[in-house]
Amino acid sequence: MFLRATTRKKDGKEHRYWSIVENRRLSGGRVLQRHVLYLGEINSSQEHAWRKSIQVLDERASTPQTLALFPEDRSEAVESGASVVRLRMSQLRLCRPRQWGASWLALKLWQALGLDEFWAEHLEKSRKGTRWDHVLFVLVAYRLIAPGSEWRLHRQWFERTALADLLGTDSGVADIHKLYACHDLLLAHKTAVFDHLVRRWRDLFNATFDVLLYDLTSTYFESSPPFPEDDKRRYGYSRDHRSDCVQVVIALIVTPEGLPLAYEVLPGNTADSTTLRGFLQRIEQQYGKARRTWVMDRGVPTEAVLQQMRASDPPVQYLVGTPKGRLSRLEKDLVTQPWKDVRPGVQVKLLPQDGEVYVFAQSHDRIAKERAMRKRQIKGLWARFKQLSTMTLTREQLLMKLGGARDRYPSGWRLAEIVVGDTGAAFNYRLRRDKLRQVRRREGRYLLRTNLTQTDPAQLWQYYVQLVQVEEAFKNLKGDLAIRPIFHQDPERIEAHIFIAFLSYCLHITLGRLLHAHAPGLTTRSVLDKFAAVQMLDVHVPTTDGREVVLTRYTQPEPELQLLLDTLRLELPKQAPPKITALATPPATTM
């Protein structure tokens, strides 16, 4: 194996992306180069560490060994005795292959966050001896590795994993009734979990909570109202474009590194602007008053809440995006302000006003991206208009197809003026050039407001672009961790389901932060997939005296996985010792 660098130029700057590549010799003397790991952009010290790890791994693989192999019918040199067991190697059987690697990694992350000890303390055993902390870990690991319904976990998934071996338990922890009953025990400990995780984030990653990113999303249900009055499932503005379904709103606070601090489940018809005041009070009550900077997108805070934040003692600092409509009122004042370069390709203008600073920022990369998106919208819409103009349609059919074009090309539609005749299916369309000029002036540009009047503009821009960490958290919850569909109907179990997804996200982001220090190009999902390739199986070898030796073994990791283990400083546990038992089915004798 060796490191390979790929060089690319972007905006006049050279970027080097690194990968680990393996040479494999094929028949005929040919050599195949196989891509093993993508590392992304790494610094020189990380590059040196990866090269050193590769050298150690290669040296270990090339060490010559001398092995003596004896067929099972050659045992004359072996003395008979009580401590000697003769094996029937010809009857060796491999049984119960099951996924081990990803389950083991999930358990290591669970232990790294101290959640094994936390839940063992807070979830007592049942009278029948049920370890509810084990049941909870099974639910969280399932959400992390292969999310689905509890019924699928019970019927299929648990038996195909080595979780029973890792936890020292049996399939009883995946009983369908226990999986559901575990949900009923969790919500009382939510606040305590937040406190515990904050301490672990500090210990593991030296995390600070001076800057908090706050945003909201929604998740929907395919269920039919009416619901009880206290049920949070309601119709509302859907970020998933499913206004036909009831939903709940999830408000989340994370650090700029994506480490979650707290979340709350709100009714589905909750307006974003009504949520911030309560969260400010909750964070102050739980963690005390401190100089924190809240970073939010437009639409979250109201003027009244911002005024309250400025009037607090000490003032609560904030950086918030503003609606583009406010830009129209400030354009005349901003025109006279000079541009300042804060980083390559990013410029800002500062406008102090009423104890705040308005930051007008533009990113050349974002300008190019938004213009390309707008051009695709207009090009697609115009092509659709041309198709419709050649069709023979009734007026009703034309209106229906125009409605479909509006849904498919919403940005382009706002720049078009369409006139449909009072009778017939004739229509005219043209580009609204005045609107286009206004859109072009605002593409790739943002108007921010803050009470951090003494802060470097580059730092303000960096704070704002870190809001993508909240969006990434929501993306992972809805994508990798598949928080929906939610199959529960009981309100408390719905919130418990979201709580389990939150705990799974904590494992997800912990692994992501561990990877970030060594190989930022690797994703959590790709690493879980590589670990999932390590299987566990039972090796059954009958003996000549009617017993059976059982060896439970996980498969040897591939070289690239071993390299990843060394880099993350993870050590696989020792293989379990063999067990000798009575033979369940005596071997057939040969005549």
Side-chain angles (χ1 to χ4, degrees):
M1 289 189 291
F2 60 94
L3 278 178
R4 171 184 288 168
T6 302
T7 303
R8 295 181 182 175
K9 284 189 176 181
K10 183 178 180 182
D11 300 329
K13 184 179 179 182
E14 190 174 89
H15 299 264
R16 301 189 77 188
Y17 303 94
W18 295 85
S19 301
I20 296 179
V21 180
E22 179 186 41
N23 283 335
R24 285 195 171 183
R25 191 167 297 279
L26 306 179
S27 59
R30 295 179 299 134
V31 175
L32 172 68
Q33 290 190 344
R34 186 175 71 94
H35 180 275
V36 175
L37 292 174
Y38 173 70
L39 306 180
E41 288 190 279
I42 57 178
N43 57 39
S44 57
S45 61
Q46 292 170 339
E47 175 193 348
H48 177 73
W50 279 104
R51 290 190 187 278
K52 187 175 180 180
S53 298
I54 292 172
Q55 291 172 2
V56 170
L57 190 67
D58 287 345
E59 288 173 4
R60 192 179 304 165
S62 61
T63 302
Q65 295 180 347
T66 302
L67 302 176
L69 304 177
F70 296 92
E72 62 180 300
D73 57 349
R74 294 294 184 89
S75 57
E76 295 87 352
V78 180
E79 297 182 1
S80 299
S83 61
V84 175
V85 178
R86 302 177 189 274
L87 305 178
R88 297 181 183 273
M89 299 302 295
S90 60
Q91 298 179 19
L92 180 148
R93 293 177 295 121
L94 304 179
C95 305
R96 289 187 61 222
R98 51 208 186 271
Q99 183 273 115
W100 181 85
S103 300
W104 174 80
L105 180 59
L107 182 58
K108 292 293 288 185
L109 296 170
W110 185 256
Q111 294 169 346
L113 291 178
L115 291 171
D116 55 336
E117 298 177 356
F118 175 89
W119 287 111
E121 177 185 348
H122 287 77
L123 294 179
E124 297 181 355
K125 288 184 181 180
S126 70
R127 288 181 298 175
K128 295 183 179 180
T130 300
R131 288 283 303 269
W132 293 113
D133 57 323
H134 286 178
V135 178
L136 174 59
F137 172 70
V138 169
L139 286 164
V140 173
Y142 176 56
R143 184 64 44 191
L144 176 70
I145 299 169
S149 67
E150 281 78 6
W151 184 247
R152 172 173 167 263
L153 189 163
H154 163 70
R155 288 291 300 272
Q156 300 176 1
W157 186 79
F158 184 82
E159 292 297 331
R160 296 176 183 176
T161 72
L163 282 174
D165 304 87
L166 291 166
L167 296 175
T169 184
D170 55 30
S171 58
V173 296
D175 177 77
I176 188 64
H177 301 292
K178 292 178 181 177
L179 295 177
Y180 286 135
C182 184
H183 287 68
D184 302 331
L185 307 175
L186 302 180
L187 295 181
H189 309 290
K190 190 168 73 168
T191 301
V193 168
F194 294 160
D195 292 336
H196 173 81
L197 287 172
V198 166
R199 292 192 293 269
R200 293 305 298 153
W201 301 139
R202 287 195 176 104
D203 294 341
L204 288 174
F205 305 115
N206 195 26
T208 61
F209 301 93
D210 301 330
V211 178
L212 301 180
L213 314 179
Y214 176 70
D215 206 353
L216 302 98
T217 190
S218 58
T219 185
Y220 61 87
F221 304 78
E222 293 184 353
S223 55
S224 300
F227 302 115
E229 289 186 5
D230 59 344
D231 199 304
K232 294 182 179 180
R233 288 173 291 179
R234 292 286 183 266
Y235 289 107
Y237 169 68
S238 174
R239 295 159 179 83
D240 302 315
H241 307 291
R242 289 299 305 269
S243 57
D244 59 316
C245 297
V246 292
Q247 64 178 18
V248 294
V249 171
I250 302 174
L252 179 66
I253 300 175
V254 303
T255 69
E257 297 79 23
L259 302 173
L261 182 66
Y263 82 94
E264 195 62 52
V265 180
L266 306 169
N269 58 356
T270 302
D272 293 358
S273 59
T274 64
T275 63
L276 181 59
R277 193 189 303 271
F279 252 99
L280 289 171
Q281 297 173 351
R282 191 174 300 116
I283 294 300
E284 286 187 359
Q285 292 172 359
Q286 189 167 357
Y287 303 107
K289 288 189 176 183
R291 294 186 65 83
R292 301 185 184 95
T293 300
W294 288 73
V295 184
M296 301 157 283
D297 214 342
R298 61 181 181 269
V300 174
T302 62
E303 287 294 333
V305 173
L306 292 179
Q307 176 61 34
Q308 176 187 337
M309 295 171 76
R310 291 193 296 269
S312 299
D313 185 22
V316 180
Q317 300 169 336
Y318 60 83
L319 174 67
V320 59
T322 62
K324 291 190 175 181
R326 184 179 291 268
L327 181 59
S328 301
R329 301 202 302 265
L330 300 175
E331 273 183 326
K332 292 182 179 179
D333 296 326
L334 286 169
V335 167
T336 61
Q337 302 298 322
W339 287 107
K340 295 182 180 179
D341 294 325
V342 297
R343 54 181 292 186
V346 178
Q347 297 173 307
V348 300
K349 290 184 176 184
L350 303 180
L351 180 63
Q353 195 173 89
D354 298 329
E356 294 180 309
V357 174
Y358 285 91
V359 184
F360 184 49
Q362 68 174 11
S363 167
H364 296 300
D365 289 342
R366 189 67 190 181
I367 290 173
K369 179 178 180 179
E370 291 189 9
R371 285 184 177 172
M373 293 166 59
R374 184 248 308 158
K375 288 178 181 178
R376 283 197 299 270
Q377 285 268 314
I378 294 177
K379 185 177 179 180
L381 182 62
W382 252 240
R384 182 57 176 162
F385 284 160
K386 290 182 180 178
Q387 290 177 349
L388 295 178
S389 64
T390 61
M391 295 181 182
T392 303
L393 303 170
T394 64
R395 190 172 188 276
E396 289 74 16
Q397 290 173 332
L398 174 64
L399 293 176
M400 290 289 290
K401 291 186 180 295
L402 286 175
R406 182 183 61 182
D407 290 340
R408 187 173 181 182
Y409 306 104
S411 299
W413 185 272
R414 288 191 287 268
L415 300 176
E417 182 178 336
I418 301 97
V419 179
V420 181
D422 295 334
T423 59
F427 73 101
N428 297 313
Y429 58 93
R430 71 178 184 86
L431 183 65
R432 298 176 58 186
R433 299 188 181 277
D434 55 339
K435 185 69 173 178
L436 176 61
R437 284 192 292 268
Q438 184 185 56
V439 168
R440 282 178 57 87
R441 287 198 307 269
R442 297 180 178 179
E443 284 173 337
R445 297 176 174 92
Y446 306 90
L447 182 63
L448 317 176
R449 61 187 297 191
T450 179
N451 59 350
L452 296 167
T453 56
Q454 305 299 322
T455 306
D456 180 15
Q459 187 65 56
L460 295 175
W461 171 257
Q462 186 63 31
Y463 284 165
Y464 188 70
V465 297
Q466 286 172 340
L467 270 177
V468 299
Q469 292 295 342
V470 187
E471 297 172 3
E472 186 70 17
F474 290 146
K475 180 181 177 182
N476 288 325
L477 283 168
K478 295 181 179 182
D480 271 359
L481 306 179
I483 194 173
R484 61 169 190 263
I486 300 177
F487 298 98
H488 301 281
Q489 298 298 318
D490 181 78
E492 288 193 0
R493 288 188 178 177
I494 289 172
E495 292 202 38
H497 170 88
I498 296 173
F499 184 43
I500 290 170
F502 171 82
L503 292 175
S504 185
Y505 174 71
C506 291
L507 303 189
H508 188 282
I509 192 62
T510 299
L511 178 56
R513 295 310 302 170
L514 293 174
L515 293 170
H516 179 77
H518 303 286
L522 282 172
T523 64
T524 298
R525 179 53 53 190
S526 66
V527 171
L528 285 170
D529 289 343
K530 288 186 179 295
F531 272 87
V534 180
Q535 299 287 299
M536 174 169 276
L537 44 84
D538 296 333
V539 183
H540 293 252
V541 188
T543 68
T544 56
D545 59 358
R547 293 181 292 173
E548 188 174 54
V549 175
V550 180
L551 300 98
T552 300
R553 292 290 184 267
Y554 58 78
T555 58
Q556 196 68 19
E558 293 293 323
E560 64 266 24
L561 182 55
Q562 185 61 55
L563 180 61
L564 192 57
L565 285 164
D566 294 342
T567 302
L568 296 177
R569 297 179 178 85
L570 294 175
E571 185 176 351
L572 296 179
K574 294 181 179 179
Q575 300 279 14
K579 296 180 291 186
I580 187 165
T581 63
L583 187 63
T585 304
T589 57
T590 57
M591 301 298 293

